Amino acid sequence: MPTKRKSSTKKRSASKKTAAKKKSAQKSLKGRIWRFIKKIILLSIILGTIVLGFYSLYLNNLIQDKFEGRRWSIPAKVYARALEVYPGLKITVKQFEKELRLAGYRKDKKSSTQGSFSQNGKRIELVSRQFKFPDGDEASHKLRIQFNNSSITSIYDLEKRRNLSLVRLDPILIGSIHPRLHEDRLLLAQEEIPKKLKNTLLSVEDRNFYHHYGIDPKGIARAIWTNLKAGSTVQGGSTLTQQLIKNYFLTKERTLVRKINEAIMSLLLEYHYSKDEILTAYINEVYLGQDGRRAIHGFALASEYYFKRPITQLSQPQIALLVGLVKGPSYYNPRNNKQRATKRRNTVLKVMLDQGVIQKGDYEKAVKTDLGISRRWSRNNSPFPAFLDSVKNQLQENYNQDDLTDKGLRIFTTLNPQVQWAAENALASQIKSLGKKRSKDLQGAIVVSHRDSAEILAIVGGKNSQEGDFNRAVNARRPIGSLIKPAIYLTAFEQGYTLSSLLNDKSFSAKSVKGKLWKPKNFDKKEHGLVPLHVALAKSYNLSTARLGMEIGVDKVLNTVRSLGVETDALPYPAVLLGSLTLSPMQVSQMYQTMADQGFYSPLHTILSVQDENNQTLQQYPVRVERRINESLVYLINANLQEVISMGTGKGLSHYIPSHYNIAGKTGTTNELRDSWFAGFGNNLVGVVWLGRDDNKPAGLTGSSGALKVWGKMMKQLDVGTLEQNQPENIKWFWIDSMNQLKLTGRCINAEFLPFIKGTEPENTESCSSGQYRDKNKTNWLKRLFN
């Protein structure tokens, strides 16, 4: 019995030891597992910290690279010419007001702030805007301008109390060259931000802005409580720093990763930059509306877009409205949702009242005021797309695309809105006068330049001037018809022909392309026999002109065309002599510009100067002048082109422009009346008009019945000027009998008064009292008396 107990005790002892060993082993295993887990956790923390550190370093570099470099892509802004106002300027009250409105001026009952004007009959009072021109700053002026029926009679400075002889107004912004995102903004420097804007923005969006480090837990809790009490969202939980990070660096997707990035980057931004720098960046970055494809960013541009006022001139209710738009520019758009926008503005004002930012009296007055939104004023599309297209073409010769869309360039151009409107109106009026059936598919293009400077003042690319898809003035190449004839006659003068030389206006044929016979015809289908050279051009005879061109050489004629400023690789086929040469209205304008400027070639241009965003001049475009054609030869051709208007195919111009203006010009018509052309110039302006169809079907118009009428209607509205040519010393005028090649002693019957280069006039002289002129001369004077 004792032996059995001893054995049982040993077994229990062994079992306990075994259990203890198992328990110890399990405990040891758990310890090892826990230590392993702690190591894993520690390692994960270390690795996570390293990854977070590197990621934070990446975000840090991202912030610094973008925030310290060029923060925004600022589109290039393109301006029209500055309007220089002086007594005697030919402009009506209506025209002047139209230009002010296009420049963004507001019409008020009384002009009081910059960019405002008022009108009373033939008197306009305005406060001009201060503006930085390439040649210096122009101060703001408070002016009273008096008009008569057609021009300005006086300019009075209301502040300095004196009459002014000249004042320059800020130019019209005619367009912008936007980056791909179509963002637009006007930048405010820190010192330019109005105190009212700061106070309003911080009251609503981030009242603890100057006390947190980018993230504000208290602000989040307070916003939740305020919104619950109000029953709607009146305050946001994100700080301004977080909003700036979200708008400037991150996408709009709502994910946990983006929120983590937002928090880290907000802390980093606050670490590197001052509060005022961050606030200034926010004020310039925030999205506040949409103007077509153009996105309105920043309070400065929003102020101009909604109120036509600089931000410094806004009232407290107006600033409250802009701040209210931060929550939802589309939802609270004051132009589309006036009631909703008013409610949101008043909510902003109530928050300011509750925080003691404004007084109760100011609040009650503010909530009763109208929103004061200006009429819709879009700069999304240029009012002059064809001109802007030409500006871009010229800029691309010197600047790459990034320069034009990112660097805030200011481009000053030659566009004259008054000339542009006159051109657009004339084209529309003439096409409309043809009736719906004839005008349906008819198109047109116009180029107007200044005679002396070669500055392009207006470009019309089509009858629908606001549609800039196809700029016919630059890109449409059409046969120019008889507009080439002056180049033929200039070439003839170089080879010794004179205005009185006799040409044979008789049918002929010549070999042309691939051996085909070329048989030119006159427009009237008649032959005119021997005709003086100046008559052949004035009447636009084809047969005599073609014969002359064949004699002097088609290749030489093309060389003259090139000398006049047209780059062409046309082959010297006979058909070139009657206008098969295809050119754009812009190229034709260059030809006639050189003739108008008496043989001096100056490249037509649309740009005066380019400035960077700091108003430093990068490039100027001075007038380049090069003598291309002998001045005496040009004098002869221009005198002949004046005859085109006085007695030739252009005599219909007298219905629009008095004959004493001595306009020089040329009509052009192509086969089957497909193209109607007119090119002409006075003392101040050069203009080219084309009418035709895009499908190249007959337009049913000659140069005289189509383009000439557009030119006349246009120039009737403008100061084209009485043409005066500087007569070279070797030019002398004579009375001539061209048919008999005689120089006459006076104004006999059949006499023509023509200019000659000395020594080229007819050698033989005949007296008006001689037999063949005496009796005819008496009859002629009697006819003149009755005429």
Side-chain angles (χ1 to χ4, degrees), residues 386-387 390 419-420 423 427 444-450 454-461 471-475 584-590 592-593 604-606 677-680 685-690 710-711 714-715:
F387 192 93
S390 297
V419 178
Q420 180 73 32
L427 180 61
I446 301 175
V447 178
V448 183
S449 58
H450 195 277
E455 295 174 358
I456 298 175
L457 307 179
I459 300 174
V460 181
N471 186 354
R472 293 167 186 81
V474 175
N475 300 318
S584 68
M586 184 69 74
Q587 290 174 302
V588 173
S589 190
Q590 183 66 75
Y592 280 78
Q593 176 74 37
L604 290 172
H605 58 282
T606 57
W677 289 91
F678 185 80
L685 303 176
V686 182
V688 172
V689 178
W690 167 82
V710 176
W711 199 96
M714 172 178 67
M715 292 300 181

Side-chain angles (χ1 to χ4, degrees), residues 557-596:
V557 172
L558 286 172
N559 286 337
T560 300
V561 171
R562 296 182 184 103
S563 295
L564 289 169
V566 176
E567 295 182 5
T568 176
D569 55 1
L571 298 175
Y573 295 130
V576 166
L577 300 170
L578 296 184
S580 68
L581 179 66
T582 58
L583 299 177
S584 68
M586 184 69 74
Q587 290 174 302
V588 173
S589 190
Q590 183 66 75
M591 274 183 63
Y592 280 78
Q593 176 74 37
T594 304
M595 287 188 283

Side-chain angles (χ1 to χ4, degrees), residues 686-699:
V686 182
V688 172
V689 178
W690 167 82
L691 291 177
R693 290 174 54 139
D694 289 340
D695 59 11
N696 202 32
K697 292 181 179 179

Side-chain angles (χ1 to χ4, degrees), residues 274-310:
S274 70
K275 288 288 187 180
D276 286 336
E277 283 182 289
I278 294 171
L279 181 59
T280 301
Y282 180 90
I283 285 171
N284 286 319
E285 168 61 25
V286 64
Y287 170 69
L288 292 169
Q290 195 72 30
D291 177 24
R293 295 177 65 194
R294 183 178 70 138
I296 306 298
H297 283 261
F299 283 93
L301 183 59
S303 176
E304 296 283 356
Y305 177 63
Y306 290 111
F307 300 109
K308 286 189 182 179
R309 296 171 185 264

Side-chain angles (χ1 to χ4, degrees), residues 114-130:
Q114 289 188 32
S116 64
F117 76 98
S118 60
Q119 180 190 350
N120 183 7
K122 293 182 179 178
R123 183 179 70 196
I124 284 182
E125 292 187 2
L126 66 91
V127 183
S128 65
R129 299 190 190 98
Q130 183 181 4

Side-chain angles (χ1 to χ4, degrees), residues 65-66 68-74 248 406-408 613:
D65 288 346
K66 192 168 182 180
E68 291 184 0
R70 178 173 294 280
R71 294 183 182 176
W72 295 281
S73 294
I74 308 298
Y248 193 65
D406 292 353
K407 297 186 178 179
E613 59 189 324

